């Protein structure tokens, strides 16, 4: 069994900080690497040592595995945590790290290779009779053949990049006439995003919910699951709101999905933290989608409801310790909600809106966790993912977690860039979300830019109305009424209460 004394985090932003915090708690020295765009970044300041590894473009810095390994050798680093994105799902990198005699805080190159490709992942999982969405078993090259399969499956279908990730390289095809055009688009997107044009066809599940299971496996063959996360509120096939537990699962289905997830992990000899993603239909049938062989963005909601620090477990696993947690020790406590605060404009198709954080004040208080990588006055670089922060709320019930989230969103003050905060507030207040009865079409069904403009306008209208009332009352010299209305005029808070049960 090894002991990690010094850990390099091959990442930036909130996730680099999140990993370093746990390392510090464990008495492990931390090393940051950074690009020229991140000289002032918080992860650089937080680390015990830091090294600039290249220019702003990630291909010249955060993706330079060779340089990162070089830094490890110079600074006597024992282990590398890759975070998410960048090199985290790069099998070659995992192998290079191992060959250099450094521990990779993540799975083996073999597991990453199998699960990194959606088709090979399905082939591996098939050994365990995991339910799968009907589709082509291999990459599609012959269009006539593909169209025949698509019409056998029945439209709508999804054309997906086998190497896909982050919602890229995916096209919904409503009917046969659209097939060729959408396939062309999927292939070219797959080539430009992943350098691999292999695509396959899958049935488009009606009324889909995205539910995923967190797993942990050690190097001795023990694998457990830490229940599910519900991630159905998405834009561009990418998550913006996540929670645990899911409001749609029964204890029986949770148990069955958990078992399937453990089997998927077993099918590739998995160790480390990983996530098995499923799509759930309106009859609660679930189908395996893919496995992400890394720490997931939304892992905090699982940490909140289980009390397990996933990064600490990842470090123990990398050191070769057997899992200290048994499946039967785990239970769900309370409810956690997470929103992703992106520098994006929800009224303009969620396009990135980078710039300088002129105001940046975090929410605080009981049951509120903020994982971020910025401070007031800092600029959000154009080179990387535009996520500013993850805001997590935790309470004993789903309703209270939502109320806490709304309170926290209202306390969050960000100016200088557009953010997804108001959009997420809209989600938290929406009847469909509150009822728990929603799917991945939430944004398409319920969201238009007007709903945000309206809420701003109605706030302005409320303030204006209050002001008029105040002046009127003053004119009538009604002191009591004036005092009440003064309070309304002064308040910046969005005091509108949702009208839900
Ligand atoms: P998660 O799957 O953890 O919920 P995302 O799908 O948003 O989160 O992806 C997490 C991060 O990893 C994002 O920065 C995304 O751009 C990046 N990412 C995901 N998959 C890939 C991939 N195959 N190649 C490159 N980057 C990826
Ligand atoms: P990525 O690697 O980009 O994360 P996924 O296969 O996990 O790709 O799919 C991303 C999202 O696309 C899912 O969360 C879901 O919303 C949607 N999706 C994927 N496959 C299907 C399907 N067969 N039917 C309906 N929606 C799907
Ligand atoms: Mg996915």
């Amino acid at each position: 069994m090894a002991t990690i004394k010094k850990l390099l985090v091959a990442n930036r932003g909130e996730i680099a900080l999140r990993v370093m915090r746990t390392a510090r708690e464990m008495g492990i020295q931390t090393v940051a690497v950074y690009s020229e765009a991140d000289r002032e970044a918080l992860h650089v300041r937080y680390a015990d040592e830091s090294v600039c590894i290249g220019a702003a473009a990630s291909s010249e810095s955060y993706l330079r595995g060779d340089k990162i390994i070089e830094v490890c050798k110079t600074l006597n680093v024992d282990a590398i945590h890759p975070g998410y994105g960048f090199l985290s799902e790069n099998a070659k990198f995992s192998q290079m790290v191992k060959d250099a005699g450094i521990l990779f805080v993540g799975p083996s190159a073999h597991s990453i290779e199998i699960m990194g490709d959606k088709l090979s992942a399905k082939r591996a999982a098939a050994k365990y009779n995991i339910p799968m969405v009907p589709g082509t078993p291999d990459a599609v090259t012959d269009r006539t053949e593909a169209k025949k399969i698509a019409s056998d499956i029945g439209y709508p279908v999804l054309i997906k990049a086998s190497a896909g990730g982050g919602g890229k390289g995916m096209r919904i095809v409503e009917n046969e006439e659209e097939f060729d055009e959408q396939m062309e688009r999927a292939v070219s997107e797959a080539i430009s995003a992943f350098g691999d044009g292999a695509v396959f066809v899958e049935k488009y599940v009606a009324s889909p919910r995205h539910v995923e299971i967190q797993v942990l496996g050690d190097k001795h063959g023990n694998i457990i699951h830490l229940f599910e996360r519900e991630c159905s509120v998405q834009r561009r096939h990418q998550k913006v709101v996540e929670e645990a537990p899911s409001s749609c699962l029964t204890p029986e289905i949770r148990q069955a999905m958990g078992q399937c997830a453990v089997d998927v992990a077993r099918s590739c000899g998995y160790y480390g933290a990983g996530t098995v993603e499923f799509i759930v239909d309106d009859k609660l049938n679930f189908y395996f989608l893919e496995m992400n062989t890394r720490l997931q963005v939304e892992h905090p909601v699982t940490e909140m409801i289980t009390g397990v620090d996933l990064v600490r477990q990842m470090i123990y696993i990398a050191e070769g310790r057997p899992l200290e947690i048994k499946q039967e020790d785990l239970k769900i406590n309370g409810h956690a909600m997470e929103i992703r605060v992106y520098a994006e404009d929800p009224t303009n198709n969620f396009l990135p809106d980078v710039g300088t954080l002129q105001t940046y004040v975090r929410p605080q208080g009981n049951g509120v966790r903020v994982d971020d990588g910025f401070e007031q006055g800092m600029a959000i670089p154009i080179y990387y993912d535009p996520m500013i922060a993850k805001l997590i709320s935790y309470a004993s019930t789903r309703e209270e977690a939502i109320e806490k989230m709304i309170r926290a969103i209202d306390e969050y003050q960000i100016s200088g860039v557009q953010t997804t905060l108001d959009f997420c507030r809209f989600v938290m207040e929406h009847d469909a979300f509150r009822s728990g009865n929603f799917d991945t079409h939430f944004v398409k069904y319920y969201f238009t830019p007007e709903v945000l403009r309206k809420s701003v306008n109605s706030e302005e209208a409320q303030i204006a109305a209050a002001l008029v009332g105040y002046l009127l009352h003053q004119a009538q010299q009604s002191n009591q009424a004036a005092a009440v209305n003064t309070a309304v005029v002064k308040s910046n808070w969005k005091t509108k209460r949702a009208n839900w049960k």
Side-chain angles (χ1 to χ4, degrees):
M1 219 157 48
T3 304
I4 297 173
K5 293 198 195 73
K6 200 189 258 193
L7 177 74
L8 180 146
V9 183
N11 216 298
R12 61 181 301 280
E14 66 90 15
I15 196 62
L17 274 166
R18 190 263 162 273
V19 171
M20 286 180 196
R21 288 199 160 105
T22 289
R24 188 172 279 186
E25 289 165 17
M26 296 172 78
I28 297 171
Q29 294 280 302
T30 54
V31 178
V33 287
Y34 61 97
S35 73
E36 281 162 15
D38 277 340
R39 286 190 184 284
E40 306 296 322
L42 293 185
H43 76 281
V44 179
R45 283 196 235 155
Y46 192 91
D48 297 310
E49 291 168 277
S50 58
V51 181
C52 181
I53 49 167
S58 36
S59 59
E60 294 183 39
S61 47
Y62 297 105
L63 290 172
R64 286 293 299 269
D66 54 340
K67 283 196 185 176
I68 292 169
I69 291 173
E70 216 40 57
V71 172
C72 290
K73 287 182 178 157
T74 314
L75 297 182
N76 267 323
V77 166
D78 312 302
I80 297 179
H81 194 300
Y84 56 71
F86 298 128
L87 293 166
S88 62
E89 291 174 283
N90 186 315
K92 269 202 201 110
F93 181 65
S94 170
Q95 191 60 47
M96 268 165 64
V97 173
K98 191 177 175 201
D99 294 347
I102 304 161
L103 289 171
F104 183 69
V105 185
S108 66
H110 171 75
S111 302
I112 300 176
E113 201 154 335
I114 294 177
M115 291 299 158
D117 181 279
K118 293 189 208 291
L119 281 172
S120 81
K122 285 188 185 207
R123 272 194 286 275
K127 282 183 268 174
Y128 283 87
N129 285 325
I130 309 293
M132 245 153 309
V133 188
T136 54
D138 298 303
V140 169
T141 40
D142 182 336
R143 287 188 193 191
T144 322
E145 177 68 20
K147 269 191 259 189
K148 195 186 158 304
I149 296 176
S151 68
D152 287 347
I153 295 171
Y155 286 94
V157 298
L158 206 53
I159 303 180
K160 273 185 173 181
S162 199
K168 295 194 193 85
M170 204 179 294
R171 290 274 153 190
I172 300 174
V173 191
E174 299 288 348
N175 51 56
E176 196 167 319
E177 288 73 64
E178 288 179 3
F179 194 92
D180 286 333
E181 190 196 333
Q182 297 293 18
M183 173 142 169
E184 221 158 84
R185 287 194 189 174
V187 171
S188 76
E189 217 171 291
I191 292 172
S192 71
F194 314 109
D196 176 355
V199 298
F200 63 101
V201 177
E202 205 173 78
K203 166 125 196 94
Y204 187 80
V205 173
S207 204
R209 291 178 74 123
H210 175 117
V211 181
E212 59 188 32
I213 306 278
Q214 175 70 53
V215 296
L216 278 178
D218 66 18
K219 292 180 176 171
H220 310 275
N222 304 303
I223 305 175
I224 56 171
H225 72 84
L226 292 90
F227 314 110
E228 79 280 8
R229 291 184 288 261
E230 159 77 61
C231 316
S232 297
V233 180
Q234 305 183 342
R235 47 101 185 77
R236 278 185 249 115
H237 304 296
Q238 241 199 329
K239 307 149 188 172
V240 252
V241 175
E242 297 110 340
E243 64 182 301
S246 165
S247 51
C248 77
L249 296 194
T250 62
E252 293 72 32
I253 294 174
R254 174 172 297 121
Q255 154 78 22
M257 285 177 86
Q259 188 51 51
C260 277
V262 167
D263 286 343
V264 170
R266 207 175 296 288
S267 79
C268 66
Y270 201 80
Y271 56 76
T275 296
V276 181
E277 297 190 334
F278 295 93
I279 198 108
V280 180
D281 72 11
D282 47 4
K283 295 182 187 68
L284 295 186
N285 298 305
F286 61 88
Y287 308 95
F288 170 59
L289 271 188
E290 65 160 348
M291 179 169 189
N292 293 324
T293 54
R294 55 172 161 91
L295 190 64
Q296 202 98 345
V297 174
E298 57 276 18
H299 75 277
V301 293
T302 301
E303 298 189 318
M304 303 311 267
I305 63 152
T306 58
V308 174
D309 180 333
L310 290 169
V311 172
R312 180 180 281 262
Q313 294 306 318
M314 291 176 87
I315 290 172
Y316 286 156
I317 292 165
E319 289 178 327
R321 301 197 208 194
L323 274 182
E324 56 177 11
I325 311 162
K326 304 260 171 299
Q327 189 67 59
E328 55 273 21
D329 299 339
L330 286 166
K331 69 180 209 311
I332 298 175
N333 279 311
H335 200 99
M337 205 46 84
E338 172 181 292
I339 64 162
R340 298 192 191 184
V341 185
Y342 280 103
E344 289 181 351
D345 186 357
T347 65
N348 184 20
N349 238 339
F350 292 90
L351 284 177
D353 185 54
V354 293
T356 299
L357 293 169
Q358 262 136 25
T359 320
Y360 187 74
V361 183
R362 298 174 189 91
Q364 294 184 333
N366 184 16
V368 173
R369 167 174 168 181
V370 182
D371 281 23
D372 66 4
F374 291 98
E375 266 176 1
Q376 188 160 293
M378 283 184 173
I380 297 159
I382 51 166
Y383 306 98
Y384 320 109
D385 196 274
M387 195 171 77
I388 303 169
K390 301 184 308 206
L391 171 58
I392 301 112
S393 72
Y394 176 67
S396 54
T397 64
R398 185 171 190 265
E399 271 184 19
E400 272 179 50
I402 292 175
E403 286 170 352
K404 206 179 273 292
M405 181 60 84
I406 293 174
R407 185 271 290 172
I409 291 173
D410 288 348
E411 278 181 25
Y412 222 138
Q413 292 174 47
I414 302 179
S415 73
V417 295
Q418 298 295 322
T419 75
T420 45
L421 274 174
D422 281 347
F423 164 77
C424 292
R425 192 182 199 283
F426 164 79
V427 176
M428 293 296 136
E429 286 202 320
H430 199 279
D431 287 344
F433 185 74
R434 299 200 103 147
S435 71
N437 187 15
F438 58 95
D439 61 29
T440 61
H441 301 303
F442 182 92
V443 171
K444 186 174 83 185
Y445 287 165
Y446 306 118
F447 179 70
T448 57
E450 284 68 43
V451 300
L452 295 188
R453 294 195 190 113
K454 239 187 251 156
S455 78
V456 171
N457 289 344
S458 77
E459 239 165 77
E460 282 166 3
Q462 269 177 25
I463 292 171
L467 196 60
V468 170
Y470 169 63
L471 293 172
L472 266 176
H473 281 296
Q474 261 211 335
Q476 290 162 359
Q477 291 180 325
S478 162
N479 288 340
Q480 200 187 355
V484 169
N485 282 311
T486 307
V488 176
V489 172
K490 274 186 184 162
S491 171
N492 288 322
W493 298 102
K494 300 166 186 172
T495 48
K496 189 175 58 146
R497 264 199 74 122
N499 40 3
W500 59 302
K501 34 186 193 307

